[in-house]
């Protein structure tokens, strides 16, 4: 009974396929199958482009176009009717003593604002993660982050004056405060400004590191403890590797904030005495708006932007490569 059925099926199959039509029926389904996914892919890309277009246009209008105009302006002199100046404005980084000192201060700010907030934030987050007074300790550290840079500068100005809180504390414990004050000699004045900035910036590092610590499974720490690992070994070999994504964010934020620091420096010292505490951000404002050197200010803005982009790209590339390995 199975043989006739098989013959009938094969017979109907052969009869339903006329001669010369086999190639057509084999091509049309394949073209439909190929064309369908391609059209869907094109439609998906067009839809994604339509959603991304407003954001791209906004970034181009607010970031790329002003940067292009600033880069173009940096090759001209300081007056609107002046001619082409070439690289004269960029040569100021090697010939102008104030800009040379500004670059040195910027490098000090980058080192201080990356190392201090990250180390202090990680230490505070780790020590207060499971202690009894953790909430109070976190509040004391995180509270300055809620203040603006100008408010932080006012607080530290009260502390650093000749009759301020810091000098009175030193006199109480029998130490002599510096004769020239805290903000009059370089490089100690820049170091004091970096410490004041770290007092504020540590709060965000504590918050981010606490988020990372709470995301670590307790089982890994228990397993390491059962294997005989001490607190330092657990912290180094278990905690730190799992905090890598959070560390990338903290260092990136600290790096950007350190390079563009302005309000704290301006309120406390206005870049002085003289111009010894200026960073590139303060020098850009000084040259552009106070000294009316628009070409030099544009050159400083371009160099500062390139430094921020290069430092961020190198750091992120290194971290992503290490994560990929």
């Amino acid at each position: 009974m199975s043989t006739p059925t098989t013959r009938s099926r094969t017979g109907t199959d052969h009869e339903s396929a006329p001669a010369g039509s086999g190639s057509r029926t084999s091509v049309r389904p394949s073209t439909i199958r190929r064309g369908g996914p391609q059209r869907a892919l094109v439609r998906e890309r067009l839809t994604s482009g339509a959603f991304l277009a407003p954001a791209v246009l906004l970034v181009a209008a607010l970031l790329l176009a002003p940067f292009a105009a600033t880069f173009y302006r940096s090759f001209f002199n300081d007056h609107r009717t002046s001619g082409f100046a070439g690289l004269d404005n960029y040569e100021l980084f090697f010939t102008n003593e104030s800009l040379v000192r500004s670059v040195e201060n910027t490098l000090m700010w980058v080192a201080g604002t990356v190392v201090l907030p990250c180390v202090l934030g990680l230490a505070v987050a780790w020590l207060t993660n499971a202690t009894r007074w953790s909430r109070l300790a976190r509040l004391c550290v995180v509270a300055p982050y809620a203040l603006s840079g100008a408010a932080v500068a006012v607080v530290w100005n009260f502390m650093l004056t000749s009759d301020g809180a810091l000098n009175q504390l030193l006199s109480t414990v029998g130490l002599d405060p510096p004769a020239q004050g805290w903000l009059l000699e370089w490089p100690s004045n820049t170091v004091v400004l970096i410490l004041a900035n770290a007092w504020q910036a540590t709060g965000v590092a504590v918050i981010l590191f606490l988020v990372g610590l709470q995301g670590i499974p307790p089982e890994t720490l228990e397993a390491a403890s059962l294997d005989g690992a001490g607190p330092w070994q657990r912290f180094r070999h278990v905690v730190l590797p799992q905090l890598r994504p959070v560390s990338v964010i903290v260092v990136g934020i600290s790096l950007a904030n350190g390079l563009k620091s302005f309000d704290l420096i301006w309120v406390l010292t206005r870049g002085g005495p003289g111009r010894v505490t200026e960073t590139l951000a303060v020098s850009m404002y000084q040259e552009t708006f106070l000294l009316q050197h628009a070409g030099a200010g544009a050159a400083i803005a371009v160099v500062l932007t390139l430094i921020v982009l290069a430092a961020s790209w190198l750091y992120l590339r290194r971290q992503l490569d290490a994560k990929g390995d």
Side-chain angles (χ1 to χ4, degrees), residues 8 23 26 36 56 58 67 83 85 92 100 143 148 151 178 205 214 221 228 232 259 274:
S8 62
S23 60
S26 61
V56 172
L58 186 63
F67 178 76
L92 295 174
V100 173
S148 63
Q214 293 174 1
L221 297 175
W232 169 248
L259 287 171

Side-chain angles (χ1 to χ4, degrees), residues 153-182:
V154 172
V155 172
W156 278 82
N157 186 34
F158 168 76
M159 295 176 58
L160 298 174
T161 55
S162 58
D163 57 345
L166 186 57
N167 287 345
Q168 293 182 8
L169 178 62
L170 293 177
S171 301
T172 302
V173 297
L175 299 177
D176 295 329
Q180 299 297 330
W182 295 96

Side-chain angles (χ1 to χ4, degrees), residues 266-311:
W266 187 254
V267 175
L268 272 178
T269 64
R270 292 186 177 271
R275 298 181 63 178
V276 296
T277 57
E278 287 186 3
T279 59
L280 286 177
V282 179
S283 297
M284 177 181 62
Y285 177 82
Q286 187 87 260
E287 294 287 341
T288 305
F289 298 104
L290 300 183
L291 301 178
Q292 297 297 314
H293 297 164
I300 297 173
V302 171
V303 171
L304 180 59
T305 303
L306 294 178
I307 291 175
V308 172
L309 293 177

